[in-house]
Amino acid sequence: LNHPATPDTYTLPHHDALPTYVGNPTKPGYSFDKWEPTLPATMPAENTTHKATWNAGTTSFSVVFWYENADDTNYSYAGAYKVSNANVGAEVKSADYRNEAFDKRDDTHFTYNSDRAETVTVAGDGSTVLNVYFTRNTYTLTFRELNCDKWFMHTHNDSCYKTVKTITAKWNEKI
């Protein structure tokens, strides 16, 4: 019944008697509705194909959160969240889960990465994984030295300083 090439069809060859089918077919995340067309009471004189129709159910899926590494461009596991009662066949987007709480969540040093956004379709068997990526925030250190010859009756402002070095790096990156 669940032939890999045609998982929702079962072809009955012409025989003298209609084979007895016991029970309903199964498909993870779905409930069997009916056969289309309706199964005949007796075997027809020609080959016929009857398609199982299904009602989508609900299942669960996993959301996995990833933080960008400090010293390279790869990502490491940051946490996970299990979604219950998701509609089978529904599309889910990482942007919809970017604010979801998980252990060790750090909104101060990481920002949702929309460039790595994903959209996945919820599979009936609960195997769906949606990845949500966060980039590590970058910060700039500026080193300046006083470069002003005005000392008397003068308050130093930005024009009195010269930038000697600027370093921009990801949070917690070795510099």
Side-chain angles (χ1 to χ4, degrees):
L1 186 59
N2 287 320
H3 186 275
T6 56
D8 295 334
T9 61
Y10 180 66
T11 303
L12 300 172
H14 175 66
H15 292 292
D16 291 339
L18 184 65
T20 302
Y21 182 79
V22 179
N24 291 327
T26 61
K27 183 176 177 179
Y30 294 83
S31 61
F32 175 73
D33 182 27
K34 62 184 176 185
W35 290 106
E36 284 187 359
T38 303
L39 294 177
T42 60
M43 190 62 190
E46 62 190 64
N47 292 338
T48 61
T49 299
H50 299 269
K51 182 176 179 177
T53 60
W54 305 95
N55 294 317
T58 59
T59 191
S60 61
F61 70 93
S62 297
V63 179
V64 178
F65 301 96
W66 301 92
Y67 281 164
E68 182 181 21
N69 296 338
D71 294 311
D72 60 44
T73 57
N74 296 322
Y75 287 76
S76 294
Y77 175 86
Y81 173 73
K82 190 78 159 180
V83 177
S84 310
N85 296 319
N87 291 327
V88 173
E91 284 192 344
V92 290
K93 300 175 184 210
S94 56
D96 296 337
Y97 294 91
R98 67 182 176 200
N99 296 320
E100 195 62 51
F102 59 91
D103 286 343
K104 299 181 184 177
R105 183 169 178 119
D106 181 354
D107 290 330
T108 303
H109 302 109
F110 294 91
T111 303
Y112 172 69
N113 184 349
S114 60
D115 291 338
R116 296 207 53 179
E118 289 187 358
T119 300
V120 296
T121 302
V122 177
D125 62 1
S127 65
T128 302
V129 175
L130 175 67
N131 296 297
V132 182
Y133 293 91
F134 293 87
T135 56
R136 190 172 288 263
N137 293 344
T138 57
Y139 300 95
T140 301
L141 295 172
T142 303
F143 300 90
R144 304 184 317 170
E145 67 181 9
L146 186 60
N147 187 29
C148 185
D149 56 2
K150 299 175 187 171
W151 293 98
F152 185 71
M153 302 287 285
H154 174 72
T155 303
H156 295 297
N157 59 33
D158 281 345
S159 66
C160 295
Y161 293 90
K162 169 176 91 170
T163 299
V164 206
K165 176 113 176 133
T166 302
I167 299 172
T168 300
K170 294 185 278 186
W171 174 73
N172 217 22
E173 180 179 0
K174 295 175 188 163
I175 54 173

